[in-house]
């Protein structure tokens, strides 16, 4: 909504080119007729600049633009309030519009069968659409067409209806969910906070300010004799809807910090600070079905989260007490793997998987977890037992596959996940294997483990969980590996001996870091090798020249025969002078020979070329599979799941999309999809967990001291296979390794497992 001192203008303009594009925010150069609009201020290039939370606009298309005039650091521009284009009136107009999305053949097919498609979408009259009549257009493509029609012809009407108080991206999400102005108003009236907060990336604070302003403007309109925008059932500021929404928001924020519960006093105090006008409804809202309250411990949780933890505890304990599936194998014969003698503690995990349905293998880098895993697999194969290998991420699955020489998958793929919420293996259709091995288990959150346990039948299948409790816990809530180990109920083998520690190289450094031991002592040279095998080097360098040195080192490694996929740069932050964004832009110039090509796609400040290394930054549940066939690429269900942290290579660049290969899975990414990825030459240490790469270049500048700790540095160090070059400041590293990451996460899990065991004893 514009401020009172801003000048509002209405004009028409034709899109010349995009200047900047991110997921919701875009800037365009627009050609404006000065004879008709003499007051519109142009840039030195003869165009007007428009910006705002607007959808992708068509080059060469004329739009009617309602905006406010603004003076920015780049000169005069126009912040868009509303934007619309004329509906296609003729067949030629329709073909022009449809070819912004489709091939010529697809556009002709759609227009011949449904010439009124724009009106059908605008009126939500789609029940009799038969996709079988549209050769080459199936569900995925048809949804893209619907989105384009909604963006261009429906949203402008909604902006007018809600007087600019709801942004275009928000209106689009509401329209996708409810399909009409009438239904949107109905849902807003029934439960305004649930309606808005239920949208992706709309938090309570944003929804609250919008709804209170909407209520205020609506009342003022009626008072001045105008129409009522919307009538809420009660005054929002003091309503129970507002109080409940605030409570759920606080509990969700608590989960984002890794916890699954919080004290009722803390929740009440935070609620009173945020929404004092309606906090009198707190006790009433505590009784809502979406909230779980434990009176004994006086803690609160989102009910669904509590029930998932309870389900996990019951399934795990149920597996442990199930005695139908014991194996009487001679586990002692598996004390040798690839000619190497295993220690007694390593062989113990082979014994445990014979005895128990659930067991844990915990060990730091260099303790021989991979040899233990191979020993278990050897025993399974010798005794004709089937098995599956899962990991939380694509990187971790690839590492697991490499060292076992067996097929490994992400948990999502292994369970047959298909968007939006179909899991091929579930409560009714169990996994058909005798053993399920999950590596890098510390990264698994409670929601994903729930899906795993749904698909496991402990009458047949044993579960081996492998992890390193010194590494970082899951991004989402829960701390499963830690909680499981702390109960002392699940049989656990913790490997203690670090092999190759005596060589004094990377394994010694990583172990010292894990134990918070200062190791950079007596360093006088800028470049220092460690160990007899020289697999770790520390480069003492200042932050101001660190990126420059990293680029030079990268070029030298390429000249020595290493490939781009053999080298990974790691840092703590995305932003800043030594963040992933800056480093990726610098490395891209030396890593990709196609840099500077005219065949590229610019998304925000990043330009993507063929051959670029890519990393997925958020889960994509609806990635479009690419098949090189104009009429067959979306036959049947052609979506796949690309997990946060998976890496890929840009295989081809087209005008409106890229083809990206994620470890053999080719997907078609449009400009909007590209908001979910970034260049992958340099990634954060958090993103690297579970991966393994030949050469690691680890950057730990002084400016990252707040983020750095022994756990984070340990994860970065232990990603390497051959060499690790560590660029940093001696004092910063020595101080950082003395700090431990705060792994404390408040959960129900330990208590629930112990209570479940106690209840079983009572009923036995």
């Amino acid at each position: 909504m514009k401020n009172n001192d801003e000048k509002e203008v209405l004009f028409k303009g034709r899109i010349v080119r995009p200047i900047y594009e991110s997921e919701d925010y875009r800037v365009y150069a627009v050609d404006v007729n000065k004879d008709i609009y003499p007051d519109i201020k142009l840039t030195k290039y003869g165009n007007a600049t428009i910006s705002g939370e607007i959808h992708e606009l068509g080059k060469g298309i004329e739009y009617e633009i309602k905006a406010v005039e603004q003076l920015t650091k780049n000169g005069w521009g126009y912040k868009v309030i509303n934007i619309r284009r004329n509906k296609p009136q003729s067949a030629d107009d329709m073909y022009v519009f449809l070819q912004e999305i489709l091939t010529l053949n697809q556009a002709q097919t759609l227009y011949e069968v449904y010439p009124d498609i724009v009106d059908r979408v605008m009126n939500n009259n789609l029940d009799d659409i038969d996709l079988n009549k549209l050769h080459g257009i199936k569900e995925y493509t048809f949804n893209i067409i619907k989105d384009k029609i909604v963006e261009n012809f429906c949203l402008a009407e909604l902006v007018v209806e809600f007087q600019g108080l709801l942004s275009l991206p928000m209106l689009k999400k509401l329209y996708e969910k409810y399909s009409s102005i009438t239904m949107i108003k109905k849902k807003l009236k029934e439960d305004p906070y649930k309606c808005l907060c239920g949208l992706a990336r709309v938090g309570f604070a944003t929804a609250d300010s919008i709804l209170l302003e909407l209520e205020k403007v609506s009342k003022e309109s009626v008072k001045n004799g105008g129409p009522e925008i919307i009538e809420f059932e009660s005054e929002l500021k003091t309503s129970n809807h507002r109080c409940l929404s605030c409570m759920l928001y606080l509990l969700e924020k608590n989960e984002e910090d890794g916890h699954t519960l919080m004290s009722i006093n803390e929740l009440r105090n935070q609620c009173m600070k945020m929404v004092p006008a309606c906090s009198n409804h707190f006790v009433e809202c505590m009784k809502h079905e979406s909230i779980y309250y434990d009176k004994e411990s006086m803690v609160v949780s989102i009910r669904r989260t509590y029930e998932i933890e309870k389900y996990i505890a019951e399934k795990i304990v149920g597996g442990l007490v199930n005695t139908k599936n014991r194996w009487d194998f001679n586990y002692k014969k598996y004390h040798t793997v690839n000619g190497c003698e295993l220690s007694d503690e390593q062989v113990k995990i082979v014994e445990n998987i014979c005895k128990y349905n659930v067991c844990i293998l915990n060990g730091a880098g260099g303790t021989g977890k991979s040899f233990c895993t191979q020993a278990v697999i050897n025993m399974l194969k010798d005794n004709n037992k089937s098995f599956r290998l899962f990991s939380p991420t694509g990187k971790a699955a690839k590492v697991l596959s490499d060292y076992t020489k067996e097929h490994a998958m992400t948990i999502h793929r292994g369970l047959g996940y298909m968007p939006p919420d179909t899991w091929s293996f579930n409560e009714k259709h169990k996994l058909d294997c005798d053993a399920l091995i999950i590596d890098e288990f510390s990264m698994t959150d409670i929601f994903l483990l729930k899906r795993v346990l749904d698909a496991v039948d402990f009458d047949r299948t044993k579960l081996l969980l492998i992890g390193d409790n010194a590494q970082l816990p899951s991004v989402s809530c829960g701390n499963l590996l830690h909680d499981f180990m702390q109960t002392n109920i699940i049989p656990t083998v913790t490997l203690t001996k670090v092999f190759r520690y005596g060589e004094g190289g990377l394994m010694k450094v990583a172990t010292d870091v894990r134990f918070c031991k200062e190791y950079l002592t007596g360093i006088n040279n800028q470049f220092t090798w460690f160990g007899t095998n020289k697999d770790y080097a520390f480069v003492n360098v200042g932050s101001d020249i660190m990126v420059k040195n990293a680029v030079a080192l990268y070029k030298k490694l390429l000249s020595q025969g290493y490939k781009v996929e053999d080298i990974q740069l790691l840092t703590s932050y995305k932003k800043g002078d030594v963040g992933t964004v800056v480093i990726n832009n610098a490395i891209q110039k030396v890593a990709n020979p196609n840099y500077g090509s005219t065949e590229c796609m610019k998304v925000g400040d990043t330009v993507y070329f063929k051959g670029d290394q890519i990393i997925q930054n958020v889960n994509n549940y609806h990635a479009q599979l690419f098949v090189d066939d104009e009429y067959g690429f979306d036959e049947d269900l052609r979506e796949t799941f690309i997990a946060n942290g998976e890496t890929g290579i840009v295989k081809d660049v087209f005008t409106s999309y890229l083809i990206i290969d994620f470890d053999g899975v080719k997907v078609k990414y449009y400009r909007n999809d590209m908001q979910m990825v970034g260049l992958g030459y340099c990634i954060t240490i958090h993103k690297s967990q579970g991966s393994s790469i030949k050469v690691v270049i680890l950057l730990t500048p002084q400016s990252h001291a707040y983020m750095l700790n022994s756990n984070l540095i340990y994860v970065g160090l232990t990603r390497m296979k051959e060499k690790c070059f560590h660029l940093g400041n001696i004092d910063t590293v020595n101080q950082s390794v003395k700090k431990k990451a705060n792994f404390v996460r408040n959960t129900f899990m330990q208590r629930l497992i112990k209570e479940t065991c106690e209840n079983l004893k009572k009923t036995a």
Side-chain angles (χ1 to χ4, degrees):
M1 194 173 180
K2 74 181 184 70
N3 299 323
N4 293 330
D5 58 343
E6 290 179 323
K7 179 183 175 183
E8 188 175 291
V9 294
L10 184 68
F11 62 97
K12 289 185 177 181
R14 198 173 295 276
I15 303 301
V16 177
R17 67 183 182 278
I19 298 173
Y20 176 85
E21 294 180 284
S22 62
E23 186 170 1
D24 291 327
Y25 188 82
R26 292 178 171 85
V27 183
Y28 285 94
V30 182
D31 189 18
V32 178
N33 189 327
K34 283 291 286 184
D35 294 334
I36 302 174
Y37 305 104
D39 294 332
I40 297 298
K41 294 181 171 64
L42 305 182
T43 67
K44 63 183 179 180
Y45 302 106
N47 308 125
T49 302
I50 64 169
S51 62
E53 293 180 304
I54 49 183
H55 57 82
E56 187 176 354
L57 305 180
K59 186 177 178 181
I61 305 299
E62 185 177 72
Y63 292 85
E64 181 182 80
I65 303 156
K66 185 178 183 181
V68 292
E69 195 173 80
Q70 290 184 327
L71 180 60
T72 70
K73 64 180 181 180
N74 297 317
W76 287 100
Y78 296 87
K79 183 180 178 182
V80 174
I81 299 172
N82 198 5
I83 189 165
R84 68 170 83 206
R85 67 188 283 184
N86 293 329
K87 275 200 308 178
Q89 300 298 322
S90 66
D92 287 343
D93 290 341
M94 182 63 80
Y95 281 132
V96 169
F97 170 66
L98 292 177
Q99 284 185 72
E100 293 176 28
I101 320 161
L102 308 172
T103 65
L104 176 61
N105 289 335
Q106 289 172 326
Q108 287 174 340
T109 299
L110 180 60
Y111 185 72
E112 286 169 5
V113 180
Y114 299 111
D116 58 343
I117 187 62
V118 170
D119 289 325
R120 280 174 170 268
V121 172
M122 290 183 69
N123 297 319
N124 196 31
N125 180 24
L126 302 172
D127 291 342
D128 62 342
I129 295 288
D130 185 358
L131 296 181
N132 292 320
K133 295 179 180 179
L134 301 176
H135 189 55
I137 299 175
K138 299 304 175 192
E139 187 175 359
Y140 186 94
T141 307
F142 190 73
N143 285 332
I144 293 174
I145 296 165
K146 285 197 299 183
D147 284 348
K148 197 76 172 179
I149 293 170
V150 167
E151 288 173 347
N152 282 277
F153 309 118
C154 302
L155 297 188
E157 294 181 10
L158 287 170
V159 170
V160 173
E161 186 71 28
F162 290 101
Q163 298 192 17
L165 293 166
L166 300 180
S167 68
L168 282 165
M170 193 177 295
L171 286 169
K172 183 184 177 186
K173 290 169 186 172
L174 284 169
Y175 196 89
E176 287 171 349
K177 198 168 184 178
Y178 302 117
S179 300
S180 72
I181 293 174
T182 302
M183 186 56 70
I184 291 172
K185 283 191 170 184
K186 180 176 182 291
K187 292 296 181 181
L188 280 170
K189 182 178 179 179
E190 288 175 356
D191 194 337
Y193 286 92
K194 184 178 180 181
C195 181
L196 283 194
C197 293
L199 303 176
R201 295 176 62 188
V202 178
F204 170 76
T206 301
D208 192 43
S209 63
I210 289 170
L211 289 168
L212 293 177
E213 184 67 18
L214 191 58
E215 182 182 50
K216 176 184 172 184
V217 172
S218 187
K219 287 179 178 178
E220 288 175 354
S221 179
V222 173
K223 185 178 178 181
N224 296 326
E228 185 175 52
I229 302 175
I230 188 169
E231 179 188 3
F232 294 111
E233 292 181 347
S234 59
E235 185 179 347
L236 291 182
K237 194 170 184 179
T238 58
S239 68
N240 62 346
H241 287 308
R242 187 174 185 232
C243 183
L244 176 62
S245 183
C246 179
M247 291 166 66
L248 290 171
Y249 163 75
L250 292 169
L251 289 170
E252 286 165 1
K253 290 291 287 181
N254 188 56
E255 288 190 4
E256 288 175 12
D257 292 333
H259 311 292
T260 62
L261 59 86
M262 69 188 302
S263 76
I264 188 171
N265 290 333
E266 179 66 18
L267 179 61
R268 186 184 182 96
N269 291 339
Q270 289 190 37
C271 192
M272 289 181 72
K273 285 180 183 178
M274 286 193 71
V275 289
C278 62
S279 59
N280 58 301
H281 293 290
F282 184 85
V283 174
E284 173 193 349
C285 292
M286 281 292 298
K287 300 173 184 176
H288 193 268
E289 63 182 4
S290 60
I291 290 178
Y292 172 78
Y293 174 51
D294 187 275
K295 292 182 181 179
E296 183 180 338
S297 56
M298 296 183 68
V299 294
V300 189
S301 173
I302 295 174
R303 182 172 292 278
R304 174 178 174 266
T305 305
Y306 167 76
E307 289 176 348
I308 286 175
E309 284 202 280
K310 188 171 185 289
Y311 173 83
I312 289 171
E314 291 172 348
K315 286 283 287 186
I316 290 292
V317 173
L320 287 171
V321 300
N322 186 331
T323 58
K324 297 178 181 178
N325 195 23
R326 289 181 67 111
W327 296 341
D328 188 21
F329 300 151
N330 180 12
Y331 63 86
K332 293 181 180 179
K333 64 185 283 191
Y334 298 98
H335 60 84
T336 303
V337 173
N338 299 331
C340 296
E341 189 78 16
L342 301 189
S343 65
D344 289 344
E345 64 181 8
Q346 286 177 307
V347 176
K348 184 69 177 177
I349 194 61
V350 188
E351 177 186 359
N352 280 0
I353 200 169
C354 291
K355 286 183 176 180
Y356 308 109
N357 275 344
V358 185
C359 53
I360 294 171
L361 172 63
N362 174 57
T367 56
K369 292 194 299 296
S370 60
F371 281 89
C372 295
T373 307
Q374 192 60 58
V376 169
I377 289 173
N378 290 345
M379 181 187 70
L380 293 171
K381 293 170 83 169
D382 286 352
N383 292 278
N384 297 315
K385 292 294 183 181
S386 60
F387 59 92
R388 294 195 180 211
L389 305 179
F390 289 177
S391 276
T393 68
K395 282 176 174 287
K398 189 174 186 305
V399 173
L400 180 59
S401 181
D402 285 346
Y403 76 70
T404 61
K405 302 296 185 290
E406 304 286 346
H407 182 55
M409 293 180 282
T410 63
I411 295 174
H412 281 85
R413 289 214 174 107
L415 295 179
Y417 173 75
M418 292 180 289
D421 195 33
T422 299
W423 301 78
S424 299
F425 294 101
N426 49 49
E427 301 98 318
K428 295 180 179 178
H429 185 196
K430 304 290 185 177
L431 286 164
D432 54 346
C433 59
D434 297 305
L436 174 61
I437 300 172
I438 301 180
D439 198 14
E440 296 291 349
F441 182 67
S442 68
M443 301 168 67
T444 307
D445 62 47
I446 63 170
F447 306 110
L448 194 52
L449 182 60
K450 192 264 182 191
R451 295 292 184 182
V452 171
L453 295 176
D454 282 345
V456 169
D457 177 4
F458 284 117
D459 283 350
R460 177 188 175 178
T461 303
K462 292 177 178 286
L463 182 61
L464 171 59
L465 308 173
I466 303 173
D468 178 353
N469 64 349
Q471 292 199 26
L472 308 171
S474 60
V475 175
S476 188
C477 61
N479 198 359
L480 289 170
L481 180 61
H482 171 81
D483 284 344
F484 284 179
M485 290 177 63
Q486 287 298 112
T487 63
N488 293 318
I489 290 171
I490 302 173
T492 299
V493 171
T494 295
L495 304 176
T496 56
K497 182 180 178 181
V498 178
F499 298 93
R500 292 170 50 204
Y501 181 85
E503 294 177 5
L506 190 282
M507 280 301 108
K508 181 182 186 303
V509 168
T511 304
D512 288 346
V513 168
R514 181 162 57 92
F515 288 113
C516 300
K517 183 179 177 182
E518 188 177 305
Y519 71 95
L520 292 176
T521 56
I523 302 293
N524 299 314
N525 300 323
Q526 184 182 10
F527 190 101
T528 306
W529 282 111
F530 282 67
T532 55
N533 60 354
K534 293 186 176 182
D535 59 357
Y536 172 80
F538 184 78
V539 185
N540 189 22
V541 62
S543 301
D544 55 335
I545 57 171
M546 190 172 289
V547 174
K548 182 180 178 181
N549 276 254
V551 173
L553 175 58
Y554 196 100
K555 286 178 68 176
K556 185 175 181 180
L557 289 168
L558 291 176
S559 71
Q560 292 175 350
Y562 285 103
K563 298 177 182 177
V564 169
E565 55 267 31
D566 296 332
I567 313 167
Q568 183 69 71
L569 288 95
L570 302 177
T571 187
S572 302
Y573 289 103
K574 291 182 180 179
K575 298 180 180 179
D577 294 339
V578 196
T580 60
V581 175
V582 169
I583 297 170
N584 272 316
N585 288 336
I587 293 293
Q588 183 189 36
K589 297 173 185 177
V590 300
N592 190 349
N594 296 315
Y595 179 83
S597 167
T598 55
E599 294 182 0
C600 61
M601 178 184 286
K602 184 176 182 183
V603 182
D605 293 326
T606 303
V607 182
Y608 294 95
F609 302 94
K610 183 177 179 179
D612 267 331
Q613 197 161 299
I614 300 296
I615 184 164
Q616 186 76 29
N617 288 324
V618 294
N619 287 337
N620 184 358
Y621 297 95
H622 304 284
Q624 182 186 347
L625 283 167
F626 173 74
V627 178
D628 192 13
D629 180 349
E630 180 181 334
Y631 291 113
F633 72 85
D634 60 356
E635 295 287 344
D636 304 320
L637 183 62
R638 289 293 183 179
E639 290 184 350
T640 190
F641 171 73
I642 303 296
N644 181 1
E646 290 198 48
T647 55
I649 301 292
V650 176
K651 288 297 184 181
D652 220 334
V653 179
F654 296 92
T655 304
S656 58
Y657 63 87
L658 305 180
I659 304 300
I660 303 177
D661 187 334
F662 286 98
D663 198 23
V665 179
K666 287 186 179 181
V667 295
K668 194 173 185 178
Y669 267 32
Y670 290 87
R671 197 175 294 275
N672 281 347
D673 299 313
M674 292 301 294
Q675 313 297 337
M676 295 187 279
V677 304
L679 290 173
Y681 304 105
C682 178
I683 63 177
T684 64
I685 300 173
H686 283 86
K687 290 275 190 196
S688 74
Q689 186 161 314
S691 66
S692 183
I693 199 84
K694 280 188 178 180
V695 180
V696 166
I697 303 175
L698 175 63
L699 286 73
T700 57
Q702 188 174 2
S703 56
H704 292 187
Y706 178 79
M707 170 74 80
L708 290 169
N709 54 59
S710 66
N711 303 87
L712 199 63
I713 294 174
Y714 169 75
V715 169
L717 293 171
T718 52
R719 298 310 95 203
M720 77 90 188
K721 289 181 182 177
E722 293 183 7
K723 292 185 185 298
C724 175
F725 294 92
H726 186 173
L727 281 63
N729 172 272
I730 291 176
D731 291 337
T732 300
V733 174
N734 281 337
Q735 290 168 13
S736 297
V737 298
K738 294 176 184 177
K739 296 188 296 180
K740 274 285 185 187
N742 183 7
F743 283 177
V744 175
R745 291 189 170 186
N746 300 318
T747 73
F748 288 105
M749 187 59 67
Q750 292 184 46
R751 194 190 86 186
L752 286 170
I753 289 177
K754 291 174 181 177
E755 286 180 353
T756 304
C757 287
E758 289 170 5
N759 292 335
L760 282 174
K761 288 178 183 177
K762 290 176 184 177
T763 57

